[in-house]
Amino acid sequence: MPLLRRKSAPPPAVEKPEPPQLPEPPAAGPNGLRSMADHRDYLLSCIEPLPPFGQQILDSVGLSLCEDVTSAISLPRFDNSAMDGYAVRAADVADASEQSPVSLPVVGEVPAGSPAPHKLSPGSAMKIMTGAAIPEGADAVVPYEATDRGATDVRITEPSAVGQHVRRTGEDITAGTVVLRAGEHLASRAIGLLAAIGVDKVMVRPRPRVVVISTGSELVEPGLPMDNEQQIYDSNSYMLASAAKATGAQVFRVGLVPDDPERLKQVISDQLVRADLILTTGGVSQGDYDIVKQVLPELGATDFTQVAMQPGKPQGFGLIGEDKTPIIMMPGNPVSAFVSFEAFVRPVLRKLAGTAHYLRPTVRIFAGHPITSVAGKLQFARGVVHRTEEGERTVELAGGHGSHLLGGLAAANALLLIDEDTDFVAAGDEVDAWLLDEDS
Ligand code: AMP
Ligand code: MG
């Protein structure tokens, strides 16, 4: 007899994962290209600041504060002496001078960190050290320099006013006030203040972890010998890693990956675990070996586009892997990569880190000589900004237009932004610039 077949439960419905998607990208302009500002704002709209965490104050320097900090104590916390000298009643020494010094008995001593031995009675003085609490009954401090430094009696040769050399309770900070606000970038000065009010940990946003990868089969690691005429050293991953570091990121420079789709997919997938942002260079143009553009759609949602800027026209962006990690894929020419960093990566990094202002301020600078440009695209020319003797800033071009001219880029201290409607800037006209050595 056949065994009765049990009715098996229907297999659980397998939920199909949603195909990854990006928000609708901005429309291209009449020339079929996306504007630099539209592309940057699109990337910014696709990422959120990293979640805050509690951090020891020493490790918080350079990070963005995520809470208002209220001081529980006043600074100074108590009335204390600003000088080494003698605590007195001002009225007792009001008439003291070199010609008619006032002598007072020294009735005790107050070192910093200890209370006064007793109240100061009228007509006496107490030795006091800088930072020590003013004894009850005293209202001024006479510095050593205006005395004979006497131990049992002291001769005072200068008058003193009420409050002289006394640091008043709360004159710096009053208990209960907000001393630092959320969004503030913590400089060492702020860390000192936190310590002074007794705070040892704060909520901050972490440094974004940035993985930097160069793609290209022609690339060789600096320091290693070249095998053949066709190879070049990988400069991009070093340049971008250091630019990201200078922007406050924690950087993992993976270095170079050849133009091999499987290798590239593997390397990127392996790096996802430690990345808040991935940067790649190379492989996003129209060439047969532009594999970044070919394989990235397999790892997540991507947007490859053409931006109306020069250099840096081909740009790629994606949210990839399980955590939808952002990836910015830049062209391989070193100047294109650098300009892409400045235009897109730096603002994204600053948003991830919770910095209040994402964009570099644009300043106007006088052209030191005529500058020609190509209309139709925003040109990023490399410039050297000087200050004239009158304090006026002028700029000269550093090298030519080519996006391979790394020597010119290294000599520059500014990027000049010449808009799509301009093909000529006369000497003495003003031009927009980003000052690269100013950290804002
Ligand atoms: P690609 O965007 O891959 O077509 O590369 C454009 C140009 O940039 C080529 O001449 C590459 O050799 C060069 N290039 C690409 N990656 C790097 C790199 N990491 N360092 C220096 N030059 C590079
Ligand atoms: Mg390439």
Side-chain angles (χ1 to χ4, degrees):
M1 207 172 85
L3 288 172
L4 287 174
R5 275 180 65 183
R6 297 228 182 106
K7 258 195 183 169
S8 54
V14 181
E15 271 190 34
K16 269 203 177 161
E18 285 281 306
Q21 281 201 329
L22 287 176
E24 187 63 34
N31 52 5
L33 306 176
R34 191 181 293 175
S35 79
M36 186 274 286
D38 278 357
H39 186 59
R40 176 196 62 215
D41 293 346
Y42 177 59
L43 302 198
L44 287 170
S45 76
C46 293
I47 62 136
E48 287 303 324
L50 298 172
F53 73 125
Q55 179 68 286
Q56 295 289 337
I57 54 172
L58 189 52
D59 296 319
S60 304
V61 67
L63 302 184
S64 172
L65 186 65
C66 292
E67 57 179 342
D68 289 350
V69 177
T70 302
S71 182
I73 59 174
S74 289
L75 290 183
R77 203 160 76 81
F78 47 89
D79 288 357
N80 69 85
S81 177
M83 301 288 282
D84 294 327
Y86 296 84
V88 297
R89 281 185 353 144
D92 290 340
V93 297
D95 300 325
S97 68
E98 286 282 354
Q99 291 73 34
S100 56
V102 171
S103 253
L104 297 175
V106 179
V107 296
E109 187 175 291
V110 213
S114 301
H118 48 76
K119 208 174 142 176
L120 185 83
S121 6
S124 61
M126 212 179 270
K127 226 180 202 182
I128 191 163
M129 306 303 141
T130 305
I134 302 290
E136 205 186 323
D139 59 15
V141 171
V142 178
Y144 274 151
E145 294 80 343
T147 73
D148 67 351
R149 295 182 169 231
T152 49
D153 286 285
V154 59
R155 266 161 58 95
I156 293 172
T157 53
E158 276 178 20
S160 192
V162 170
Q164 197 160 327
H165 303 307
V166 175
R167 301 160 170 171
R168 289 268 166 236
T169 305
E171 72 179 10
D172 187 10
I173 280 165
T174 320
T177 53
V178 173
V179 293
L180 293 170
R181 298 214 172 261
E184 194 144 335
H185 186 79
L186 292 174
S188 53
R189 306 175 296 280
I191 303 295
L193 175 59
L194 288 166
I197 62 172
V199 170
D200 66 336
K201 285 189 211 76
V202 279
M203 292 299 283
V204 286
R205 292 196 197 277
R207 289 181 188 286
R209 296 164 308 158
V210 178
V211 166
V212 184
I213 299 169
S214 288
T215 71
S217 295
E218 71 278 36
L219 302 176
V220 174
E221 182 67 28
L224 296 183
M226 301 275 204
D227 285 343
N228 62 46
E229 287 272 300
Q230 292 74 42
Q231 293 182 318
I232 59 168
Y233 285 120
D234 165 27
S235 51
N236 290 349
S237 70
Y238 283 93
M239 177 175 60
L240 297 180
S242 45
K245 230 180 195 180
T247 311
Q250 184 188 354
V251 177
F252 302 105
R253 193 194 70 86
V254 170
L256 42 104
V257 179
D259 293 319
D260 169 342
E262 288 313 310
R263 274 287 295 284
L264 181 68
K265 257 197 294 188
Q266 192 59 51
V267 170
I268 292 180
S269 305
D270 288 350
Q271 293 297 326
L272 282 171
V273 65
R274 61 172 178 176
D276 297 312
L277 174 67
I278 298 180
L279 303 178
T280 67
T281 64
V284 292
S285 310
Q286 310 294 337
D288 292 346
Y289 294 94
D290 284 334
I291 55 150
V292 172
K293 206 169 165 178
Q294 291 165 26
V295 306
L296 254 292
E298 296 173 33
L299 298 179
T302 54
D303 167 53
F304 287 94
T305 189
Q306 308 270 307
V307 178
M309 64 194 260
Q310 199 176 354
K313 184 167 130 191
Q315 291 291 331
F317 173 69
L319 295 175
I320 59 169
E322 249 176 56
D323 296 331
K324 299 192 168 37
T325 304
I327 179 167
I328 297 179
M329 295 157 280
M330 291 164 267
N333 272 307
V335 182
S336 314
F338 181 80
V339 166
S340 307
F341 182 93
E342 282 293 321
F344 307 122
V345 179
R346 194 173 186 275
V348 161
L349 273 179
R350 286 170 76 93
K351 182 166 184 184
L352 285 172
T355 310
H357 306 286
Y358 312 146
L359 308 185
R360 269 198 198 279
T362 302
V363 297
R364 304 274 293 162
I365 299 190
F366 294 108
H369 56 70
I371 300 173
T372 53
S373 182
V374 181
K377 284 186 209 134
L378 172 64
Q379 297 289 319
F380 282 93
R382 281 71 73 194
V384 182
V385 174
H386 307 278
R387 253 184 210 283
T388 62
E389 275 179 11
E390 295 76 49
E392 207 167 69
R393 280 190 298 215
T394 64
V395 65
E396 273 155 33
L397 290 185
H401 283 306
S403 55
H404 59 296
L405 300 171
L406 194 47
L409 177 65
N413 61 5
L415 286 180
L416 308 184
L417 289 76
I418 304 168
D419 67 42
E420 37 267 74
D421 303 326
T422 305
D423 59 7
F424 181 74
V425 179
D429 279 1
E430 282 186 317
V431 58
D432 283 343
W434 289 343
L435 301 179
L436 301 173
D437 292 335
E438 289 184 10
D439 182 32
S440 56

PDB file of all heavy atoms in Angstrom, residues 376-399:
ATOM      1  N   GLY A 376      30.115  77.311 -24.229  1.00  0.00           N
ATOM      2  CA  GLY A 376      29.253  76.124 -24.262  1.00  0.00           C
ATOM      3  C   GLY A 376      29.460  75.208 -23.079  1.00  0.00           C
ATOM      4  O   GLY A 376      28.606  74.373 -22.776  1.00  0.00           O
ATOM      5  N   LYS A 377      30.599  75.351 -22.426  1.00  0.00           N
ATOM      6  CA  LYS A 377      30.863  74.523 -21.237  1.00  0.00           C
ATOM      7  C   LYS A 377      31.526  75.384 -20.185  1.00  0.00           C
ATOM      8  O   LYS A 377      32.261  76.319 -20.511  1.00  0.00           O
ATOM      9  CB  LYS A 377      31.825  73.388 -21.577  1.00  0.00           C
ATOM     10  CG  LYS A 377      31.195  72.277 -22.330  1.00  0.00           C
ATOM     11  CD  LYS A 377      32.199  71.145 -22.478  1.00  0.00           C
ATOM     12  CE  LYS A 377      31.925  70.373 -23.745  1.00  0.00           C
ATOM     13  NZ  LYS A 377      33.138  70.110 -24.507  1.00  0.00           N
ATOM     14  N   LEU A 378      31.272  75.022 -18.927  1.00  0.00           N
ATOM     15  CA  LEU A 378      31.976  75.687 -17.837  1.00  0.00           C
ATOM     16  C   LEU A 378      33.439  75.228 -17.880  1.00  0.00           C
ATOM     17  O   LEU A 378      33.713  74.023 -17.811  1.00  0.00           O
ATOM     18  CB  LEU A 378      31.322  75.276 -16.513  1.00  0.00           C
ATOM     19  CG  LEU A 378      32.020  75.696 -15.235  1.00  0.00           C
ATOM     20  CD1 LEU A 378      32.046  77.216 -15.103  1.00  0.00           C
ATOM     21  CD2 LEU A 378      31.289  75.091 -14.026  1.00  0.00           C
ATOM     22  N   GLN A 379      34.359  76.178 -18.041  1.00  0.00           N
ATOM     23  CA  GLN A 379      35.780  75.821 -18.089  1.00  0.00           C
ATOM     24  C   GLN A 379      36.388  75.958 -16.710  1.00  0.00           C
ATOM     25  O   GLN A 379      36.195  76.978 -16.043  1.00  0.00           O
ATOM     26  CB  GLN A 379      36.541  76.773 -19.023  1.00  0.00           C
ATOM     27  CG  GLN A 379      36.099  76.732 -20.469  1.00  0.00           C
ATOM     28  CD  GLN A 379      36.513  75.434 -21.139  1.00  0.00           C
ATOM     29  OE1 GLN A 379      37.623  74.943 -20.926  1.00  0.00           O
ATOM     30  NE2 GLN A 379      35.616  74.877 -21.929  1.00  0.00           N
ATOM     31  N   PHE A 380      37.137  74.950 -16.303  1.00  0.00           N
ATOM     32  CA  PHE A 380      37.905  75.058 -15.069  1.00  0.00           C
ATOM     33  C   PHE A 380      39.366  75.252 -15.469  1.00  0.00           C
ATOM     34  O   PHE A 380      40.034  74.288 -15.834  1.00  0.00           O
ATOM     35  CB  PHE A 380      37.792  73.785 -14.238  1.00  0.00           C
ATOM     36  CG  PHE A 380      36.505  73.667 -13.473  1.00  0.00           C
ATOM     37  CD1 PHE A 380      35.416  72.992 -14.004  1.00  0.00           C
ATOM     38  CD2 PHE A 380      36.379  74.230 -12.207  1.00  0.00           C
ATOM     39  CE1 PHE A 380      34.232  72.878 -13.296  1.00  0.00           C
ATOM     40  CE2 PHE A 380      35.203  74.116 -11.490  1.00  0.00           C
ATOM     41  CZ  PHE A 380      34.119  73.447 -12.031  1.00  0.00           C
ATOM     42  N   ALA A 381      39.825  76.506 -15.455  1.00  0.00           N
ATOM     43  CA  ALA A 381      41.231  76.756 -15.780  1.00  0.00           C
ATOM     44  C   ALA A 381      42.022  76.753 -14.475  1.00  0.00           C
ATOM     45  O   ALA A 381      41.492  77.072 -13.417  1.00  0.00           O
ATOM     46  CB  ALA A 381      41.367  78.091 -16.484  1.00  0.00           C
ATOM     47  N   ARG A 382      43.269  76.371 -14.577  1.00  0.00           N
ATOM     48  CA  ARG A 382      44.114  76.352 -13.377  1.00  0.00           C
ATOM     49  C   ARG A 382      44.846  77.685 -13.272  1.00  0.00           C
ATOM     50  O   ARG A 382      45.424  78.153 -14.265  1.00  0.00           O
ATOM     51  CB  ARG A 382      45.129  75.208 -13.459  1.00  0.00           C
ATOM     52  CG  ARG A 382      44.524  73.876 -13.113  1.00  0.00           C
ATOM     53  CD  ARG A 382      43.559  73.352 -14.172  1.00  0.00           C
ATOM     54  NE  ARG A 382      44.211  72.874 -15.373  1.00  0.00           N
ATOM     55  CZ  ARG A 382      43.589  72.622 -16.510  1.00  0.00           C
ATOM     56  NH1 ARG A 382      42.298  72.813 -16.647  1.00  0.00           N
ATOM     57  NH2 ARG A 382      44.270  72.178 -17.553  1.00  0.00           N
ATOM     58  N   GLY A 383      44.817  78.280 -12.102  1.00  0.00           N
ATOM     59  CA  GLY A 383      45.391  79.614 -11.959  1.00  0.00           C
ATOM     60  C   GLY A 383      46.316  79.736 -10.768  1.00  0.00           C
ATOM     61  O   GLY A 383      46.234  78.973  -9.805  1.00  0.00           O
ATOM     62  N   VAL A 384      47.224  80.707 -10.893  1.00  0.00           N
ATOM     63  CA  VAL A 384      48.077  81.068  -9.758  1.00  0.00           C
ATOM     64  C   VAL A 384      47.647  82.462  -9.311  1.00  0.00           C
ATOM     65  O   VAL A 384      47.728  83.410 -10.088  1.00  0.00           O
ATOM     66  CB  VAL A 384      49.568  81.073 -10.145  1.00  0.00           C
ATOM     67  CG1 VAL A 384      50.425  81.402  -8.920  1.00  0.00           C
ATOM     68  CG2 VAL A 384      49.975  79.732 -10.721  1.00  0.00           C
ATOM     69  N   VAL A 385      47.174  82.551  -8.094  1.00  0.00           N
ATOM     70  CA  VAL A 385      46.699  83.829  -7.567  1.00  0.00           C
ATOM     71  C   VAL A 385      47.836  84.487  -6.793  1.00  0.00           C
ATOM     72  O   VAL A 385      48.482  83.849  -5.959  1.00  0.00           O
ATOM     73  CB  VAL A 385      45.484  83.602  -6.632  1.00  0.00           C
ATOM     74  CG1 VAL A 385      45.072  84.895  -5.952  1.00  0.00           C
ATOM     75  CG2 VAL A 385      44.326  83.005  -7.418  1.00  0.00           C
ATOM     76  N   HIS A 386      48.086  85.760  -7.142  1.00  0.00           N
ATOM     77  CA  HIS A 386      49.105  86.543  -6.416  1.00  0.00           C
ATOM     78  C   HIS A 386      48.402  87.706  -5.741  1.00  0.00           C
ATOM     79  O   HIS A 386      47.351  88.132  -6.191  1.00  0.00           O
ATOM     80  CB  HIS A 386      50.113  87.192  -7.374  1.00  0.00           C
ATOM     81  CG  HIS A 386      50.770  86.276  -8.330  1.00  0.00           C
ATOM     82  ND1 HIS A 386      51.844  85.519  -7.972  1.00  0.00           N
ATOM     83  CD2 HIS A 386      50.504  85.997  -9.632  1.00  0.00           C
ATOM     84  CE1 HIS A 386      52.235  84.815  -9.025  1.00  0.00           C
ATOM     85  NE2 HIS A 386      51.433  85.075 -10.037  1.00  0.00           N
ATOM     86  N   ARG A 387      49.050  88.255  -4.755  1.00  0.00           N
ATOM     87  CA  ARG A 387      48.594  89.520  -4.190  1.00  0.00           C
ATOM     88  C   ARG A 387      49.554  90.613  -4.624  1.00  0.00           C
ATOM     89  O   ARG A 387      50.769  90.444  -4.496  1.00  0.00           O
ATOM     90  CB  ARG A 387      48.589  89.438  -2.661  1.00  0.00           C
ATOM     91  CG  ARG A 387      47.209  89.352  -2.120  1.00  0.00           C
ATOM     92  CD  ARG A 387      47.184  89.369  -0.616  1.00  0.00           C
ATOM     93  NE  ARG A 387      46.045  88.607  -0.155  1.00  0.00           N
ATOM     94  CZ  ARG A 387      44.794  89.044  -0.174  1.00  0.00           C
ATOM     95  NH1 ARG A 387      44.513  90.246  -0.611  1.00  0.00           N
ATOM     96  NH2 ARG A 387      43.801  88.287   0.263  1.00  0.00           N
ATOM     97  N   THR A 388      49.025  91.703  -5.164  1.00  0.00           N
ATOM     98  CA  THR A 388      49.895  92.814  -5.548  1.00  0.00           C
ATOM     99  C   THR A 388      50.299  93.558  -4.272  1.00  0.00           C
ATOM    100  O   THR A 388      49.754  93.287  -3.196  1.00  0.00           O
ATOM    101  CB  THR A 388      49.152  93.799  -6.477  1.00  0.00           C
ATOM    102  OG1 THR A 388      48.046  94.320  -5.735  1.00  0.00           O
ATOM    103  CG2 THR A 388      48.658  93.115  -7.728  1.00  0.00           C
ATOM    104  N   GLU A 389      51.239  94.519  -4.436  1.00  0.00           N
ATOM    105  CA  GLU A 389      51.680  95.265  -3.246  1.00  0.00           C
ATOM    106  C   GLU A 389      50.542  96.029  -2.600  1.00  0.00           C
ATOM    107  O   GLU A 389      50.526  96.252  -1.399  1.00  0.00           O
ATOM    108  CB  GLU A 389      52.816  96.227  -3.618  1.00  0.00           C
ATOM    109  CG  GLU A 389      54.141  95.510  -3.576  1.00  0.00           C
ATOM    110  CD  GLU A 389      55.305  96.377  -3.940  1.00  0.00           C
ATOM    111  OE1 GLU A 389      55.145  97.600  -4.026  1.00  0.00           O
ATOM    112  OE2 GLU A 389      56.383  95.795  -4.148  1.00  0.00           O
ATOM    113  N   GLU A 390      49.543  96.396  -3.409  1.00  0.00           N
ATOM    114  CA  GLU A 390      48.382  97.132  -2.868  1.00  0.00           C
ATOM    115  C   GLU A 390      47.385  96.170  -2.213  1.00  0.00           C
ATOM    116  O   GLU A 390      46.329  96.593  -1.745  1.00  0.00           O
ATOM    117  CB  GLU A 390      47.652  97.918  -3.966  1.00  0.00           C
ATOM    118  CG  GLU A 390      48.448  99.040  -4.614  1.00  0.00           C
ATOM    119  CD  GLU A 390      49.481  98.539  -5.600  1.00  0.00           C
ATOM    120  OE1 GLU A 390      49.127  97.703  -6.461  1.00  0.00           O
ATOM    121  OE2 GLU A 390      50.656  98.950  -5.507  1.00  0.00           O
ATOM    122  N   GLY A 391      47.694  94.875  -2.210  1.00  0.00           N
ATOM    123  CA  GLY A 391      46.801  93.917  -1.548  1.00  0.00           C
ATOM    124  C   GLY A 391      45.707  93.392  -2.464  1.00  0.00           C
ATOM    125  O   GLY A 391      44.838  92.646  -2.030  1.00  0.00           O
ATOM    126  N   GLU A 392      45.762  93.755  -3.742  1.00  0.00           N
ATOM    127  CA  GLU A 392      44.754  93.282  -4.689  1.00  0.00           C
ATOM    128  C   GLU A 392      45.155  91.895  -5.182  1.00  0.00           C
ATOM    129  O   GLU A 392      46.336  91.633  -5.385  1.00  0.00           O
ATOM    130  CB  GLU A 392      44.762  94.254  -5.863  1.00  0.00           C
ATOM    131  CG  GLU A 392      43.467  94.344  -6.583  1.00  0.00           C
ATOM    132  CD  GLU A 392      43.494  95.548  -7.510  1.00  0.00           C
ATOM    133  OE1 GLU A 392      44.250  95.501  -8.499  1.00  0.00           O
ATOM    134  OE2 GLU A 392      42.774  96.525  -7.226  1.00  0.00           O
ATOM    135  N   ARG A 393      44.130  91.040  -5.415  1.00  0.00           N
ATOM    136  CA  ARG A 393      44.460  89.701  -5.911  1.00  0.00           C
ATOM    137  C   ARG A 393      44.334  89.656  -7.423  1.00  0.00           C
ATOM    138  O   ARG A 393      43.339  90.109  -7.980  1.00  0.00           O
ATOM    139  CB  ARG A 393      43.513  88.665  -5.308  1.00  0.00           C
ATOM    140  CG  ARG A 393      43.917  88.286  -3.910  1.00  0.00           C
ATOM    141  CD  ARG A 393      43.139  87.117  -3.407  1.00  0.00           C
ATOM    142  NE  ARG A 393      41.725  87.372  -3.334  1.00  0.00           N
ATOM    143  CZ  ARG A 393      40.929  86.877  -2.393  1.00  0.00           C
ATOM    144  NH1 ARG A 393      41.428  86.108  -1.451  1.00  0.00           N
ATOM    145  NH2 ARG A 393      39.646  87.134  -2.398  1.00  0.00           N
ATOM    146  N   THR A 394      45.357  89.106  -8.086  1.00  0.00           N
ATOM    147  CA  THR A 394      45.263  88.893  -9.536  1.00  0.00           C
ATOM    148  C   THR A 394      45.635  87.437  -9.813  1.00  0.00           C
ATOM    149  O   THR A 394      46.284  86.784  -8.998  1.00  0.00           O
ATOM    150  CB  THR A 394      46.238  89.790 -10.335  1.00  0.00           C
ATOM    151  OG1 THR A 394      47.559  89.417  -9.979  1.00  0.00           O
ATOM    152  CG2 THR A 394      46.023  91.255 -10.052  1.00  0.00           C
ATOM    153  N   VAL A 395      45.191  86.959 -10.976  1.00  0.00           N
ATOM    154  CA  VAL A 395      45.438  85.556 -11.280  1.00  0.00           C
ATOM    155  C   VAL A 395      46.048  85.408 -12.672  1.00  0.00           C
ATOM    156  O   VAL A 395      45.703  86.146 -13.594  1.00  0.00           O
ATOM    157  CB  VAL A 395      44.140  84.728 -11.134  1.00  0.00           C
ATOM    158  CG1 VAL A 395      43.087  85.121 -12.156  1.00  0.00           C
ATOM    159  CG2 VAL A 395      44.428  83.247 -11.193  1.00  0.00           C
ATOM    160  N   GLU A 396      46.962  84.457 -12.765  1.00  0.00           N
ATOM    161  CA  GLU A 396      47.548  84.093 -14.056  1.00  0.00           C
ATOM    162  C   GLU A 396      47.343  82.607 -14.294  1.00  0.00           C
ATOM    163  O   GLU A 396      47.261  81.843 -13.320  1.00  0.00           O
ATOM    164  CB  GLU A 396      49.034  84.415 -14.054  1.00  0.00           C
ATOM    165  CG  GLU A 396      49.259  85.843 -14.471  1.00  0.00           C
ATOM    166  CD  GLU A 396      50.538  86.439 -13.962  1.00  0.00           C
ATOM    167  OE1 GLU A 396      51.512  85.683 -13.836  1.00  0.00           O
ATOM    168  OE2 GLU A 396      50.532  87.653 -13.706  1.00  0.00           O
ATOM    169  N   LEU A 397      47.277  82.218 -15.551  1.00  0.00           N
ATOM    170  CA  LEU A 397      47.063  80.798 -15.837  1.00  0.00           C
ATOM    171  C   LEU A 397      48.312  79.983 -15.512  1.00  0.00           C
ATOM    172  O   LEU A 397      49.430  80.447 -15.726  1.00  0.00           O
ATOM    173  CB  LEU A 397      46.705  80.582 -17.305  1.00  0.00           C
ATOM    174  CG  LEU A 397      45.332  81.081 -17.744  1.00  0.00           C
ATOM    175  CD1 LEU A 397      45.076  80.680 -19.199  1.00  0.00           C
ATOM    176  CD2 LEU A 397      44.223  80.505 -16.859  1.00  0.00           C
ATOM    177  N   ALA A 398      48.093  78.787 -15.018  1.00  0.00           N
ATOM    178  CA  ALA A 398      49.198  77.852 -14.763  1.00  0.00           C
ATOM    179  C   ALA A 398      49.100  76.758 -15.804  1.00  0.00           C
ATOM    180  O   ALA A 398      48.304  75.844 -15.663  1.00  0.00           O
ATOM    181  CB  ALA A 398      49.065  77.263 -13.360  1.00  0.00           C
ATOM    182  N   GLY A 399      49.898  76.865 -16.870  1.00  0.00           N
ATOM    183  CA  GLY A 399      49.868  75.834 -17.909  1.00  0.00           C
ATOM    184  C   GLY A 399      48.655  75.996 -18.806  1.00  0.00           C
ATOM    185  O   GLY A 399      47.845  76.907 -18.663  1.00  0.00           O
TER     186      GLY A 399
END
